[in-house]
Amino acid sequence: MKRKSIAVVGAAETTELGLIPNLSQIQLHADAALNAMADAGLGPGDIDGLATTPEWTPLLANYLGITPSWVDGTMVGGCSFMLHVRHAAAAINEGLCRTVLITHGESGRSRVGVGPFMGNRASLEGQFEAPYGIMGPTTVFTIPVLRYMKTYGVTEEQLAMVAVVQREWAAKNPRASMKDPITVQDVLGSRMIAYPFRLLMCCLVTDGGGALILTSAERARDFPRPPVYILGTGEAAESWMISQMEDFTTSKAFRVSGKKAFEEAGISHKDVDHLMIYDAFAHLPLYGLEDLGFCKPGEAAAFIWERNTAPGGKLPVNTNGGGLSYMHSGMYGMYALQESVRQMRGIAAAQVPGAKISIAHGVGGMFAASGTIVFSNQAP
Amino acid sequence: MPEAKRPLPKPTPETRHFWEGTAAGELRLQRCDQCSHVYFPPRPFCPKCASRQVSVFRASGRARLYSYVINHRPAPPFTAPYSIAVVELEEGPRMMTNIVGCPQTPEALQLDMALEVTFEKQTDEITLPFFKPAGDSR
């Protein structure tokens, strides 16, 4: 894809986060969208492109009073919003639309206005995975990690440290769901969910939403907030069936998506001031650090243990507290993007001083898909 | 464990040979006639070279334990804790399964341990392949 000249000019989450029993799922989308439009000083009539999931894009368009002439409903799980950003950037570059709204809302905890999940028993995963007692992410996303731990000699203590460090970040964030400090012993003493994963190694289940508004960098200077530029993007898909993932110690989707984003942005790892890695479970920051090239294979656990990603470390990671401590509605990618934008605007609760480049890296459908966005507050 | 309540597969035209195989006590894989690639899950073409010339054959049933979790949350009709595993077949492909015939503990479930297939009939149409420690005469 050609060099980006696209910027984020509106960004917001839902007014409340965490437990929101009084809003249905579609209203969580709308609440975030209204906040993002207010942030950008725009109304529904100014939006000509719409991308969303898990609500259906035409349904949400009508609900918001928007008639988009560019529509995206890409759904590859929790990183879908990274893909929406990438697709929207291409569409704006190509002149298909001028101003794109991307929304997310999910009543993950309260389940208000949420459709039923229907398993298709004739699908490949219905035939070859579902019969063996899988019950969603806790028993699927987690399966590769024992192979990773054996290959690299990673311990349960090191896995626990991922959650400990992210809680340190969450403690600095008034909007985080879980702020009390925890220790490795606390994590290893918490309830077993799916060996080797204990409760505190698994993400939260909360309610919330978020929205972004994108336009050309040229127009972006006329908006109330300083633009956050999109320097590079990547996306990839590997396998919806976890059993068919090529190598359980590394995500091919992460590697492909990350490489594309770095190449497109024309940056190297030392240029990155801030990093978000979608953490539905404690092993994901390990895979993310290695597959994006910040650590060599097998070295991420020691990198985190040595506090490189913690407050005061050289590579701040998941500074909102992450899916483990900040919030996780089910499709967390939007919140990783929001924290990157806040960091680039200089308004994050745990602001990284002087940060100029931030990467938000997402995973979707367990290890099925990936999306990577490189942001900067400096015009490209 | 009331096995009949598991979410059972609905075979499709492309997978029927696999489920007919398990019902007959065979684990069936496919091999490309052009490039010899062995693959799973079933499909009527080779995912490596895209040839439509492929053959079904009976696999050895031998495998090693590649990775797993032990689910501790209630999941009727399964009795927690139970393992959900991915095994690597001797012929190369990997598949999800349950490990049976041994305690569902990290001590009993060692990565790379030798396994062999065992079949359990669920309905007249569906027999599921599970794996047990090799040499177990259960």
Side-chain angles (χ1 to χ4, degrees), chain A residues 156-188:
Chain A
E156 290 179 48
E157 284 75 13
Q158 286 178 308
L159 196 58
M161 183 57 100
V162 175
V164 171
V165 166
Q166 292 197 195
R167 185 61 63 85
E168 289 182 35
W169 283 114
K172 298 171 178 293
N173 189 343
R175 275 166 69 85
S177 292
M178 307 296 272
K179 294 187 274 287
D180 294 338
I182 51 173
T183 64
V184 166
Q185 286 68 34
D186 292 334
V187 178
L188 295 180

Side-chain angles (χ1 to χ4, degrees), chain B residues 4-23:
Chain B
K5 284 189 184 169
R6 286 173 186 255
L8 293 179
K10 274 171 100 171
T12 59
E14 297 80 19
T15 66
R16 193 165 306 281
H17 69 267
F18 180 87
W19 296 114
E20 288 172 355
T22 56

Side-chain angles (χ1 to χ4, degrees), chain A residues 21 72 80 148 169 211 223 249 263 318 325 349 360:
Chain A
D72 189 7
S80 298
Y148 176 89
W169 283 114
F223 285 81
T249 69
E263 285 176 357
N318 293 344
S325 287

Side-chain angles (χ1 to χ4, degrees), chain A residues 121-122 127-128 130-135 138-139 142-143 146-147 150 192-195 242 244-246 248, chain B residues 6-8 10 15 19 40 65-72 75 78 82 84 94 96 98 111-112 129:
Chain A
R121 293 181 187 185
Q127 292 185 64
F128 298 109
Y132 303 107
I134 58 173
M135 42 180 297
T138 57
T139 54
T142 50
I143 289 181
L146 284 182
R147 174 56 53 183
K150 178 169 180 176
M192 188 67 85
I193 299 297
Y195 171 81
I242 198 97
Q244 301 309 308
M245 191 176 165
E246 184 177 74
F248 277 19
Chain B
R6 286 173 186 255
L8 293 179
K10 274 171 100 171
T15 66
W19 296 114
F40 178 85
L65 183 53
Y66 184 62
S67 204
Y68 69 92
V69 291
I70 303 171
N71 184 37
H72 284 251
F78 296 86
Y82 63 94
I84 304 167
R94 295 190 197 122
M96 190 175 281
N98 299 124
L111 292 201
D112 299 310

Side-chain angles (χ1 to χ4, degrees), chain A residues 10-361:
Chain A
E13 294 175 347
T14 44
T15 308
E16 304 292 329
L17 276 186
L19 183 63
I20 316 175
N22 57 328
L23 296 185
S24 68
Q25 185 158 287
I26 195 168
Q27 185 54 34
L28 291 169
H29 281 256
D31 184 51
L34 293 170
N35 287 342
M37 284 191 275
D39 186 60
L42 296 176
D46 301 313
I47 306 291
D48 65 351
L50 181 64
T52 193
T53 191
E55 288 294 326
W56 199 42
T57 316
L59 186 69
L60 184 71
N62 181 259
Y63 192 74
L64 291 174
I66 294 169
T67 306
S69 53
W70 177 85
V71 175
D72 189 7
T74 300
M75 168 51 171
V76 292
C79 66
S80 298
F81 315 102
M82 280 78 174
L83 276 67
H84 294 167
V85 168
R86 187 167 200 251
H87 301 172
I92 294 167
N93 263 336
E94 192 60 27
L96 302 183
C97 50
R98 279 162 56 88
T99 311
V100 173
L101 172 67
I102 301 169
T103 75
H104 164 69
E106 199 167 14
S107 187
R109 184 172 192 86
S110 301
R111 313 297 299 170
V112 184
V114 179
F117 177 78
M118 301 295 284
N120 174 0
R121 293 181 187 185
S123 69
L124 287 174
E125 78 273 15
Q127 292 185 64
F128 298 109
E129 293 191 342
Y132 303 107
I134 58 173
M135 42 180 297
T138 57
T139 54
V140 177
F141 221 153
T142 50
I143 289 181
V145 84
L146 284 182
R147 174 56 53 183
Y148 176 89
M149 292 167 75
K150 178 169 180 176
T151 301
Y152 295 119
V154 170
T155 65
E156 290 179 48
E157 284 75 13
Q158 286 178 308
L159 196 58
M161 183 57 100
V162 175
V164 171
V165 166
Q166 292 197 195
R167 185 61 63 85
E168 289 182 35
W169 283 114
K172 298 171 178 293
N173 189 343
R175 275 166 69 85
S177 292
M178 307 296 272
K179 294 187 274 287
D180 294 338
I182 51 173
T183 64
V184 166
Q185 286 68 34
D186 292 334
V187 178
L188 295 180
S190 65
R191 183 161 54 91
M192 188 67 85
I193 299 297
Y195 171 81
F197 287 87
R198 294 174 180 275
L199 181 67
L200 294 179
M201 299 172 180
C202 304
C203 67
L204 308 167
V205 182
T206 55
D207 306 324
L212 294 169
I213 297 173
L214 274 60
T215 193
S216 66
E218 189 177 35
R219 291 180 66 215
R221 286 183 285 273
D222 303 331
F223 285 81
R225 308 278 179 217
V228 176
Y229 300 97
I230 293 166
L231 300 187
T233 63
E235 68 187 278
E238 184 181 354
S239 168
W240 168 234
M241 296 175 75
I242 198 97
S243 59
Q244 301 309 308
M245 191 176 165
E246 184 177 74
D247 180 343
F248 277 19
T249 69
T250 172
S251 162
K252 186 157 71 172
F254 281 18
R255 298 197 311 273
V256 171
S257 177
K259 185 166 185 285
K260 277 195 165 296
F262 270 89
E263 285 176 357
E264 199 173 278
I267 60 163
S268 66
H269 293 83
K270 65 175 168 29
D271 299 323
V272 178
D273 302 307
H274 171 251
L275 176 62
M276 297 298 292
I277 300 174
Y278 190 135
D279 58 323
F281 294 91
H283 59 323
L284 291 168
L286 306 179
Y287 284 68
L289 284 166
E290 294 173 11
D291 292 335
L292 292 175
F294 289 96
C295 294
K296 294 197 178 79
E299 294 185 353
F303 187 77
I304 290 174
W305 189 270
E306 289 156 8
R307 301 192 56 78
N308 289 294
T309 64
K314 66 180 178 188
L315 180 62
V317 174
N318 293 344
T319 49
N320 59 355
L324 296 176
S325 287
Y326 178 59
M327 83 86 67
H328 194 295
S329 59
M331 300 177 71
Y332 168 82
M334 175 57 82
Y335 309 94
L337 292 165
Q338 294 286 336
E339 175 68 4
S340 281
V341 170
R342 286 192 294 263
Q343 288 285 349
M344 293 297 91
R345 287 177 166 185
I347 58 167
Q351 180 64 40
V352 177
K356 294 185 174 64
I357 291 184
S358 171
I359 292 182
H361 178 73

